[in-house]
Structure formats: C-alpha cells, structure tokens
Coordinates of all heavy atoms in Angstrom, one line a residue:
M1 N 37.3 -8.1 9.7 CA 37.0 -7.0 9.2 C 35.8 -7.1 8.1 O 35.8 -8.1 7.4 CB 38.2 -6.3 8.5 CG 37.9 -5.1 7.8 SD 39.5 -4.3 7.3 CE 39.0 -2.9 6.4
I2 N 35.0 -6.2 8.1 CA 33.9 -6.3 7.1 C 34.3 -5.8 5.7 O 34.9 -4.7 5.6 CB 32.7 -5.5 7.6 CG1 32.1 -6.0 8.9 CG2 31.5 -5.4 6.6 CD1 31.0 -5.1 9.6
I3 N 34.0 -6.5 4.7 CA 34.2 -6.0 3.3 C 33.0 -5.3 2.8 O 32.0 -5.9 2.8 CB 34.6 -7.2 2.5 CG1 35.8 -7.9 3.0 CG2 34.9 -6.7 1.0 CD1 36.2 -9.2 2.3
W4 N 33.1 -4.1 2.5 CA 32.0 -3.1 2.2 C 31.6 -3.3 0.7 O 31.9 -2.5 -0.1 CB 32.3 -1.7 2.5 CG 32.3 -1.5 4.0 CD1 33.4 -1.5 4.8 CD2 31.2 -1.4 4.9 NE1 33.0 -1.2 6.1 CE2 31.8 -1.2 6.2 CE3 29.8 -1.3 4.7 CZ2 30.9 -1.1 7.3 CZ3 29.0 -1.1 5.9 CH2 29.6 -1.0 7.1
D5 N 31.0 -4.4 0.4 CA 30.6 -4.6 -1.0 C 29.0 -4.2 -1.1 O 28.5 -3.8 -0.1 CB 30.8 -6.1 -1.6 CG 30.0 -7.1 -0.8 OD1 29.5 -6.7 0.4 OD2 29.9 -8.2 -1.3
F6 N 28.4 -4.4 -2.2 CA 27.0 -3.9 -2.4 C 26.0 -4.7 -1.6 O 25.1 -4.1 -1.0 CB 26.7 -4.1 -3.9 CG 25.3 -3.6 -4.3 CD1 25.0 -2.3 -4.2 CD2 24.3 -4.5 -4.5 CE1 23.7 -1.7 -4.6 CE2 23.1 -4.1 -4.8 CZ 22.8 -2.7 -4.9
N7 N 26.2 -5.9 -1.4 CA 25.3 -6.7 -0.6 C 25.2 -6.4 0.8 O 24.3 -6.2 1.5 CB 25.7 -8.3 -0.7 CG 25.4 -8.8 -2.1 OD1 24.6 -8.2 -2.8 ND2 26.1 -9.8 -2.5
V8 N 26.5 -6.1 1.5 CA 26.5 -5.7 2.9 C 25.9 -4.3 2.9 O 25.2 -4.1 4.0 CB 28.1 -5.7 3.3 CG1 28.1 -5.0 4.7 CG2 28.6 -7.1 3.2
I9 N 26.1 -3.4 2.0 CA 25.5 -2.1 2.2 C 24.0 -2.2 2.1 O 23.2 -1.6 2.9 CB 26.0 -1.1 1.2 CG1 27.5 -0.9 1.4 CG2 25.3 0.2 1.1 CD1 28.3 -0.1 0.3
V10 N 23.4 -3.0 1.3 CA 21.9 -3.1 1.0 C 21.4 -3.7 2.3 O 20.4 -3.4 2.9 CB 21.6 -4.0 -0.2 CG1 20.2 -4.4 -0.3 CG2 22.0 -3.1 -1.4
A11 N 22.1 -4.8 2.8 CA 21.6 -5.5 4.0 C 21.6 -4.6 5.2 O 20.7 -4.6 6.0 CB 22.4 -6.8 4.2
L12 N 22.6 -3.9 5.3 CA 22.7 -2.9 6.5 C 21.6 -1.8 6.4 O 21.0 -1.4 7.4 CB 24.1 -2.2 6.5 CG 24.5 -1.5 7.7 CD1 24.5 -2.6 8.9 CD2 25.9 -0.8 7.5
G13 N 21.4 -1.2 5.1 CA 20.3 -0.3 4.9 C 18.9 -0.8 5.3 O 18.1 -0.1 5.9
I14 N 18.6 -2.1 4.8 CA 17.3 -2.6 5.1 C 17.2 -2.9 6.7 O 16.2 -2.6 7.3 CB 17.2 -4.0 4.3 CG1 17.0 -3.7 2.9 CG2 16.0 -4.8 4.8 CD1 17.0 -4.9 2.0
T15 N 18.3 -3.4 7.2 CA 18.1 -3.7 8.7 C 18.0 -2.3 9.5 O 17.1 -2.4 10.4 CB 19.5 -4.3 9.2 OG1 19.6 -5.5 8.5 CG2 19.4 -4.6 10.7
L16 N 18.7 -1.3 9.2 CA 18.5 0.0 9.8 C 17.1 0.6 9.6 O 16.5 1.1 10.6 CB 19.6 0.9 9.4 CG 21.0 0.7 9.9 CD1 22.1 1.6 9.4 CD2 21.1 0.6 11.4
S17 N 16.6 0.5 8.5 CA 15.3 1.1 8.1 C 14.2 0.3 8.9 O 13.3 0.9 9.4 CB 15.0 1.2 6.7 OG 15.1 -0.1 6.1
L18 N 14.4 -1.0 8.9 CA 13.4 -1.9 9.6 C 13.4 -1.6 11.2 O 12.5 -1.5 11.8 CB 13.6 -3.3 9.4 CG 13.0 -3.9 8.1 CD1 13.3 -5.3 7.9 CD2 11.5 -3.6 8.1
G19 N 14.7 -1.4 11.7 CA 14.8 -1.1 13.1 C 14.2 0.3 13.4 O 13.5 0.5 14.4
V20 N 14.3 1.3 12.5 CA 13.7 2.6 12.8 C 12.2 2.4 12.8 O 11.4 3.0 13.7 CB 14.2 3.6 11.7 CG1 13.3 4.8 11.8 CG2 15.7 4.0 12.0
V21 N 11.6 1.7 11.8 CA 10.2 1.5 11.8 C 9.7 0.7 12.9 O 8.7 1.2 13.5 CB 9.8 0.7 10.5 CG1 8.4 0.3 10.5 CG2 10.0 1.5 9.3
I22 N 10.4 -0.2 13.5 CA 9.9 -1.0 14.7 C 10.0 -0.1 15.9 O 9.1 -0.1 16.7 CB 10.8 -2.2 14.8 CG1 10.4 -3.2 13.7 CG2 10.6 -2.9 16.2 CD1 11.3 -4.5 13.7
I23 N 11.1 0.6 16.0 CA 11.1 1.6 17.2 C 10.1 2.6 17.1 O 9.3 2.9 18.1 CB 12.5 2.4 17.2 CG1 13.6 1.3 17.6 CG2 12.5 3.4 18.2 CD1 15.0 1.8 17.5
L24 N 9.7 3.2 16.0 CA 8.6 4.2 15.8 C 7.3 3.5 16.1 O 6.4 4.2 16.8 CB 8.6 4.8 14.5 CG 9.8 5.8 14.2 CD1 9.6 6.4 12.8 CD2 9.6 7.0 15.1
W25 N 7.1 2.3 15.7 CA 5.8 1.6 16.0 C 5.6 1.3 17.5 O 4.6 1.5 18.0 CB 5.8 0.3 15.1 CG 4.6 -0.7 15.5 CD1 3.4 -0.4 15.2 CD2 4.7 -1.8 16.2 NE1 2.6 -1.4 15.7 CE2 3.4 -2.3 16.2 CE3 5.7 -2.6 16.7 CZ2 3.1 -3.6 16.8 CZ3 5.4 -3.8 17.3 CH2 4.1 -4.2 17.4
V26 N 6.7 0.9 18.1 CA 6.6 0.6 19.5 C 6.2 2.0 20.4 O 5.5 2.0 21.2 CB 7.9 0.0 20.1 CG1 8.0 0.1 21.6 CG2 8.0 -1.4 19.6
I27 N 6.9 3.0 19.9 CA 6.6 4.3 20.5 C 5.2 4.7 20.3 O 4.5 5.2 21.3 CB 7.7 5.4 20.1 CG1 9.1 5.1 20.6 CG2 7.3 6.8 20.5 CD1 10.1 6.0 20.0
Y28 N 4.8 4.7 19.1 CA 3.4 5.0 18.8 C 2.3 4.1 19.7 O 1.4 4.6 20.1 CB 3.2 4.8 17.3 CG 1.7 5.0 16.9 CD1 1.1 6.3 16.9 CD2 0.9 3.9 16.5 CE1 -0.2 6.5 16.5 CE2 -0.4 4.1 16.1 CZ -0.9 5.4 16.1 OH -2.2 5.5 15.7
T29 N 2.6 2.8 19.6 CA 1.7 1.9 20.4 C 1.7 2.2 21.8 O 0.7 2.2 22.5 CB 2.2 0.4 20.1 OG1 2.2 0.2 18.7 CG2 1.2 -0.5 20.7
L30 N 2.8 2.5 22.4 CA 2.9 2.7 23.8 C 2.2 4.1 24.2 O 1.5 4.2 25.1 CB 4.3 2.8 24.3 CG 5.0 1.3 24.4 CD1 6.4 1.6 24.9 CD2 4.2 0.4 25.3
S31 N 2.4 5.1 23.3 CA 1.7 6.4 23.6 C 0.2 6.3 23.3 O -0.6 7.0 24.0 CB 2.3 7.5 22.8 OG 2.0 7.3 21.4
R32 N -0.2 5.4 22.4 CA -1.7 5.4 22.1 C -2.5 4.5 23.1 O -3.6 4.8 23.3 CB -1.8 4.8 20.6 CG -3.1 4.6 20.1 CD -3.1 4.0 18.7 NE -4.4 3.3 18.5 CZ -4.5 2.2 17.9 NH1 -3.4 1.5 17.5 NH2 -5.6 1.7 17.7
G33 N -1.8 3.7 23.8 CA -2.5 2.7 24.7 C -2.9 3.5 25.9 O -3.9 3.0 26.5
R34 N -2.3 4.6 26.2 CA -2.6 5.3 27.5 C -3.9 6.1 27.2 O -4.8 6.3 28.1 CB -1.6 6.2 27.9 CG -0.3 5.4 28.3 CD 0.7 6.3 28.9 NE 2.0 5.7 28.8 CZ 3.0 6.3 28.4 NH1 3.0 7.5 28.0 NH2 4.2 5.7 28.4
T35 N -4.1 6.6 26.1 CA -5.2 7.6 25.8 C -6.5 7.0 25.1 O -7.5 7.5 25.2 CB -4.8 8.8 25.0 OG1 -4.3 8.3 23.7 CG2 -3.6 9.5 25.7
E36 N -6.3 5.9 24.3 CA -7.4 5.4 23.5 C -8.6 4.9 24.3 O -9.7 5.3 23.9 CB -6.9 4.3 22.7 CG -8.0 4.0 21.5 CD -7.4 2.9 20.6 OE1 -6.3 2.5 20.7 OE2 -8.2 2.6 19.7
P37 N -8.6 4.2 25.4 CA -9.8 3.8 26.1 C -10.6 5.0 26.5 O -11.9 5.0 26.4 CB -9.3 3.0 27.3 CG -8.0 2.5 26.8 CD -7.4 3.6 25.9
L38 N -10.1 6.0 27.0 CA -10.8 7.2 27.5 C -11.4 8.0 26.4 O -12.5 8.5 26.5 CB -9.9 8.1 28.3 CG -9.5 7.5 29.7 CD1 -8.5 8.4 30.4 CD2 -10.7 7.2 30.6
S39 N -10.6 8.0 25.3 CA -11.1 9.0 24.2 C -12.1 8.2 23.3 O -13.1 8.9 22.8 CB -10.0 9.3 23.3 OG -9.4 8.2 22.6
N40 N -12.2 6.9 23.3 CA -13.2 6.2 22.5 C -14.5 5.9 23.3 O -15.4 5.4 22.7 CB -12.6 4.9 22.0 CG -11.7 5.1 20.9 OD1 -11.9 6.1 20.1 ND2 -11.0 4.1 20.4
R41 N -14.5 6.1 24.5 CA -15.6 5.6 25.4 C -16.8 6.4 25.1 O -18.0 5.9 25.0 CB -15.3 5.8 26.8 CG -16.3 5.3 27.8 CD -15.8 5.2 29.1 NE -14.7 4.4 29.3 CZ -13.7 4.4 30.4 NH1 -14.0 5.3 31.4 NH2 -12.8 3.6 30.4
E42 N -16.7 7.7 24.7 CA -17.8 8.5 24.4 C -18.5 8.1 23.1 O -19.7 8.5 22.8 CB -17.4 10.0 24.4 CG -16.3 10.3 23.3 CD -15.9 11.7 23.4 OE1 -16.8 12.6 23.3 OE2 -14.8 12.0 23.6
F43 N -17.8 7.5 22.1 CA -18.3 7.1 20.8 C -18.9 5.7 20.8 O -19.4 5.2 19.9 CB -17.2 7.2 19.7 CG -16.6 8.5 19.6 CD1 -15.3 8.8 20.1 CD2 -17.3 9.6 19.1 CE1 -14.8 10.0 20.0 CE2 -16.8 10.8 18.9 CZ -15.5 11.0 19.4
F44 N -18.7 4.9 21.9 CA -19.2 3.6 22.0 C -20.7 3.5 22.1 O -21.3 4.1 23.0 CB -18.6 3.0 23.3 CG -18.7 1.5 23.4 CD1 -18.0 0.6 22.6 CD2 -19.5 1.0 24.4 CE1 -18.2 -0.6 22.7 CE2 -19.7 -0.4 24.6 CZ -18.9 -1.2 23.7
R45 N -21.4 2.7 21.2 CA -22.7 2.5 21.2 C -23.2 1.0 21.1 O -22.4 0.3 20.6 CB -23.4 3.2 20.1 CG -23.2 4.7 20.3 CD -23.9 5.5 19.1 NE -25.3 5.5 19.4 CZ -26.1 6.2 18.7 NH1 -25.8 6.9 17.6 NH2 -27.5 6.2 18.9
Q46 N -24.3 0.7 21.6 CA -24.8 -0.7 21.4 C -26.2 -0.6 20.6 O -27.0 0.1 21.1 CB -24.9 -1.4 22.8 CG -25.3 -2.9 22.6 CD -25.4 -3.6 23.9 OE1 -25.4 -3.0 24.9 NE2 -25.4 -4.9 23.9
C47 N -26.4 -1.5 19.7 CA -27.6 -1.6 19.0 C -28.7 -2.1 19.9 O -28.5 -3.1 20.6 CB -27.5 -2.5 17.8 SG -29.0 -2.7 16.8
G48 N -29.8 -1.5 20.0 CA -31.0 -1.9 20.8 C -31.7 -3.0 20.2 O -32.5 -3.7 20.9
F49 N -31.4 -3.5 18.9 CA -32.2 -4.6 18.5 C -31.4 -5.8 18.3 O -31.8 -6.9 18.7 CB -32.7 -4.2 17.0 CG -33.6 -3.1 16.9 CD1 -33.2 -1.7 16.8 CD2 -35.0 -3.3 17.2 CE1 -34.1 -0.7 16.8 CE2 -36.0 -2.3 17.2 CZ -35.5 -1.0 17.1
C50 N -30.1 -5.8 17.8 CA -29.4 -7.0 17.7 C -28.2 -7.1 18.8 O -27.5 -8.1 18.9 CB -28.8 -7.0 16.2 SG -27.5 -5.8 15.9
G51 N -28.0 -6.0 19.5 CA -27.0 -6.0 20.5 C -25.6 -5.8 20.0 O -24.7 -6.1 20.8
Y52 N -25.4 -5.5 18.8 CA -24.1 -5.3 18.3 C -23.4 -4.0 18.9 O -24.0 -3.0 19.0 CB -24.2 -5.2 16.7 CG -22.9 -5.0 16.0 CD1 -22.0 -6.2 16.0 CD2 -22.5 -3.9 15.4 CE1 -20.8 -6.1 15.3 CE2 -21.4 -3.8 14.6 CZ -20.5 -5.0 14.6 OH -19.3 -4.9 14.0
L53 N -22.2 -4.2 19.2 CA -21.4 -3.1 19.8 C -20.6 -2.5 18.7 O -19.8 -3.1 18.0 CB -20.5 -3.6 20.9 CG -21.2 -4.2 22.0 CD1 -20.2 -4.9 23.0 CD2 -22.0 -3.4 22.8
F54 N -20.6 -1.2 18.5 CA -19.9 -0.4 17.5 C -19.5 0.9 18.0 O -20.1 1.5 19.0 CB -20.7 -0.4 16.3 CG -22.0 0.3 16.3 CD1 -22.2 1.6 15.9 CD2 -23.1 -0.4 16.9 CE1 -23.3 2.2 15.9 CE2 -24.4 0.3 16.9 CZ -24.4 1.6 16.5
F55 N -18.6 1.6 17.3 CA -18.2 3.0 17.5 C -18.9 3.9 16.5 O -18.9 3.7 15.4 CB -16.7 3.1 17.3 CG -16.0 2.4 18.5 CD1 -15.3 1.3 18.3 CD2 -15.9 3.1 19.7 CE1 -14.6 0.6 19.2 CE2 -15.1 2.3 20.7 CZ -14.6 1.2 20.5
D56 N -19.6 4.9 17.0 CA -20.2 5.9 16.2 C -19.5 7.2 16.4 O -19.8 8.0 17.3 CB -21.7 6.1 16.6 CG -22.5 6.9 15.7 OD1 -21.9 7.2 14.6 OD2 -23.6 7.3 16.1
Y57 N -18.5 7.4 15.5 CA -17.7 8.6 15.6 C -18.3 9.8 15.2 O -17.9 10.9 15.7 CB -16.4 8.3 14.9 CG -15.5 7.3 15.5 CD1 -15.3 6.1 14.8 CD2 -14.8 7.6 16.7 CE1 -14.5 5.1 15.4 CE2 -13.9 6.6 17.2 CZ -13.9 5.4 16.5 OH -13.1 4.4 17.1
F58 N -19.3 9.7 14.3 CA -20.0 10.9 13.8 C -21.2 11.4 14.7 O -21.7 12.5 14.6 CB -20.4 10.7 12.4 CG -19.3 10.4 11.5 CD1 -19.2 9.1 11.0 CD2 -18.3 11.3 11.1 CE1 -18.1 8.7 10.2 CE2 -17.3 11.1 10.3 CZ -17.3 9.7 9.8
K59 N -21.6 10.5 15.6 CA -22.7 10.8 16.5 C -24.0 11.4 15.8 O -24.5 12.3 16.1 CB -22.3 11.8 17.6 CG -21.3 11.3 18.6 CD -21.1 12.2 19.7 CE -20.3 11.6 20.8 NZ -20.2 12.4 22.0
R60 N -24.3 10.6 14.7 CA -25.5 11.0 13.9 C -26.7 10.7 14.8 O -26.8 9.7 15.5 CB -25.5 10.3 12.6 CG -24.4 10.7 11.8 CD -24.6 10.0 10.4 NE -23.4 10.4 9.6 CZ -22.6 9.4 9.0 NH1 -22.9 8.1 9.2 NH2 -21.6 9.6 8.3
T61 N -27.8 11.5 14.6 CA -29.1 11.2 15.2 C -30.1 11.1 14.0 O -30.4 12.2 13.4 CB -29.5 12.2 16.2 OG1 -28.5 12.3 17.2 CG2 -30.7 11.9 16.8
P62 N -30.7 10.0 13.8 CA -30.6 8.7 14.3 C -29.3 8.0 13.9 O -28.9 8.2 12.7 CB -31.8 8.0 13.9 CG -32.2 8.6 12.6 CD -31.8 10.0 12.7
G63 N -28.8 7.2 14.7 CA -27.6 6.5 14.4 C -28.0 5.3 13.5 O -29.1 4.9 13.4
H64 N -27.0 4.6 13.0 CA -27.2 3.5 12.0 C -26.4 2.3 12.4 O -25.2 2.5 12.5 CB -26.8 3.9 10.6 CG -27.3 3.1 9.6 ND1 -26.2 2.3 8.9 CD2 -28.3 2.6 9.1 CE1 -26.8 1.6 8.0 NE2 -28.1 1.7 8.1
C65 N -27.0 1.2 12.8 CA -26.3 0.0 13.2 C -25.6 -0.6 11.9 O -26.3 -0.9 10.9 CB -27.2 -1.0 13.8 SG -26.4 -2.6 14.2
P66 N -24.3 -0.9 12.0 CA -23.7 -1.3 10.8 C -24.0 -2.9 10.6 O -23.7 -3.3 9.4 CB -22.2 -1.2 11.1 CG -22.1 -1.0 12.6 CD -23.4 -0.5 13.0
R67 N -24.5 -3.6 11.5 CA -24.8 -5.0 11.2 C -26.1 -5.2 10.8 O -26.4 -5.8 9.8 CB -24.6 -5.8 12.5 CG -24.7 -7.2 12.3 CD -24.0 -8.1 13.4 NE -25.0 -8.5 14.4 CZ -24.7 -9.2 15.5 NH1 -23.5 -9.4 15.8 NH2 -25.6 -9.6 16.2
C68 N -27.2 -4.7 11.5 CA -28.6 -5.0 11.1 C -29.2 -4.0 10.3 O -30.3 -4.1 9.8 CB -29.4 -5.4 12.3 SG -29.7 -4.1 13.5
G69 N -28.6 -2.7 10.3 CA -29.1 -1.6 9.6 C -30.3 -0.8 10.3 O -30.9 0.1 9.7
S70 N -30.7 -1.1 11.5 CA -31.7 -0.4 12.2 C -31.2 0.9 12.6 O -30.0 1.1 12.9 CB -32.2 -1.3 13.3 OG -31.2 -1.3 14.3
Y71 N -32.1 1.8 12.9 CA -31.8 3.1 13.3 C -31.8 3.3 14.8 O -32.7 2.6 15.5 CB -32.7 4.2 12.7 CG -32.6 4.3 11.3 CD1 -33.4 3.7 10.4 CD2 -31.5 5.1 10.7 CE1 -33.2 3.9 9.0 CE2 -31.3 5.3 9.4 CZ -32.1 4.6 8.6 OH -32.0 4.8 7.2
Q72 N -30.9 3.9 15.3 CA -30.8 4.1 16.8 C -31.0 5.6 17.2 O -30.7 6.5 16.4 CB -29.3 3.7 17.3 CG -28.8 2.5 16.7 CD -29.5 1.3 17.3 OE1 -29.7 1.1 18.5 NE2 -30.1 0.4 16.5
N73 N -31.5 5.8 18.3 CA -31.8 7.2 18.7 C -30.5 7.7 19.6 O -29.7 7.0 19.9 CB -33.1 7.5 19.5 CG -33.2 6.4 20.6 OD1 -32.3 5.7 20.8 ND2 -34.3 6.5 21.2
Ligands
ZN1 ZN1 -28.1 -3.8 15.0

C-alpha cells in the first residue's frame, strides 16, 4: 500500500505533468510532420551568389540573403 506523504504527492504530480507534456509534444510533432514540407516549399529560396538555402517567409522583393547579405530578386 502506498503511503500518501508529501514526497509521493510531489513525485506523482511531476510525473503526471511531464507525461501530459510528452503526449502533447508527440501529438503536435505527428500532426506537424504531415503538413510542414508542403507549406514551407513556397518560401524556400537559394542565394544566387553564395548558394545558401534559406526560408523567406515575408517574400520581400528584393530578398535579403541572411549569410552574405546580397539582395535577391
Ligand atoms: Zn548569399
């Protein structure tokens, strides 16, 4: 039989809250994995000068390479 003192209650609370966080993280990761490659493909750009691959979520014209600082059209 479990003796319900303060240490057992704290350990049980931490374990349950970590379990909930891990379950929510797994659900979020699995649902995100299906849609992210298609949704990010339109923001994908490559620098014409240094070849750096980056995401341009704002689609500015001209774009700005984050590595070499050159402008992209
Ligand atoms: Zn560049």
Side-chain angles (χ1 to χ4, degrees):
M1 180 173 174
I2 298 174
I3 300 171
W4 292 97
D5 62 345
F6 181 72
N7 292 333
V8 173
I9 292 173
V10 168
L12 195 63
I14 290 173
T15 303
L16 287 177
S17 58
L18 278 177
V20 168
V21 168
I22 288 174
I23 288 172
L24 289 176
W25 173 68
V26 167
I27 291 172
Y28 173 74
T29 303
L30 290 177
S31 66
R32 186 176 151 224
R34 292 186 204 131
T35 58
E36 188 175 3
L38 292 176
S39 63
N40 278 343
R41 191 171 295 163
E42 58 184 306
F43 302 109
F44 189 69
R45 296 182 76 174
Q46 183 175 18
C47 176
F49 294 96
C50 69
Y52 185 67
L53 301 172
F54 60 99
F55 291 103
D56 187 14
Y57 291 107
F58 300 108
K59 291 189 170 184
R60 295 184 186 124
T61 303
H64 186 253
C65 176
R67 186 161 101 186
C68 69
S70 65
Y71 291 102
Q72 313 289 313
N73 51 3

